[in-house]
Amino acid sequence: DALNIQTANAGEIIITQGSDGDRFFLIESGQVRFEKDGQVVGEAEDRAFFGELALIRQEARAASVIAKTDCRLAYLEGKAFKRVIGPVVEILQRDQGKWNELSTKYKLEHTTEEEEEKNDQEEEREAAAAAAAVGE
């Protein structure tokens, strides 16, 4: 299954909240923002991805995605995404605890920049505590 390319100009709506999930996107270049009910709930840029939750959960899009800057996006159509990712999701969902742990670890759910910074700081504190414990 090949990735397709889509471009979006700054201000262009890429995904509309409530629409059917039919594509999984990877940001090759540019920045996007996520809006839910007209409120900005997050942002993403190069090498980030979005659109997986609607495909995995077979639900309508939870948020709109709007290009903040001109973007170049790679995408998989829904059927190709399910062929590639589907078996993995089915296995993980058999053990919901494992699914929750991995979805958090690999940030399968989108987080705001503030949440990501807080998570990064927590990881740094944990690493420093572990290093201090080894040095004792």
Side-chain angles (χ1 to χ4, degrees):
D1 292 305
L3 289 171
N4 300 296
I5 300 299
Q6 174 180 329
T7 58
N9 296 321
E12 186 175 337
I13 297 170
I14 301 164
I15 289 176
T16 301
Q17 182 179 352
S19 64
D20 290 336
D22 60 352
R23 291 181 177 174
F24 167 70
F25 292 89
L26 300 161
I27 304 171
E28 287 189 4
S29 64
Q31 298 175 330
V32 300
R33 72 177 181 269
F34 305 103
E35 292 186 6
K36 189 166 185 160
D37 302 323
Q39 300 295 314
V40 176
V41 295
E43 297 181 351
E45 58 186 32
D46 302 1
R47 298 184 309 264
F49 58 89
F50 59 90
E52 76 286 358
L53 293 177
L55 293 169
I56 290 169
R57 297 178 179 166
Q58 299 179 354
E59 297 176 346
R61 298 292 190 179
S64 294
V65 181
I66 297 112
K68 285 183 64 176
T69 63
D70 290 347
C71 294
R72 180 177 165 90
L73 309 164
Y75 69 89
L76 274 176
E77 293 288 348
K79 289 180 183 177
F81 176 84
K82 288 177 186 171
R83 276 194 303 276
V84 173
I85 304 296
V88 174
V89 171
E90 289 173 16
I91 291 166
L92 291 173
Q93 286 178 329
R94 287 183 201 150
D95 180 348
Q96 190 64 43
K98 195 175 288 182
W99 170 251
N100 291 337
E101 177 185 332
L102 291 174
S103 67
T104 299
K105 181 176 180 181
Y106 295 107
K107 299 180 181 172
L108 296 179
E109 306 240 11
H110 298 291
T111 56
T112 64
E113 286 182 28
E114 184 177 292
E115 290 171 325
E116 286 183 25
E117 187 173 319
K118 188 176 180 180
N119 290 341
D120 290 344
Q121 290 171 353
E122 180 64 28
E123 288 173 8
E124 288 172 10
R125 280 193 295 276
E126 290 174 3
V134 170
E136 291 178 353

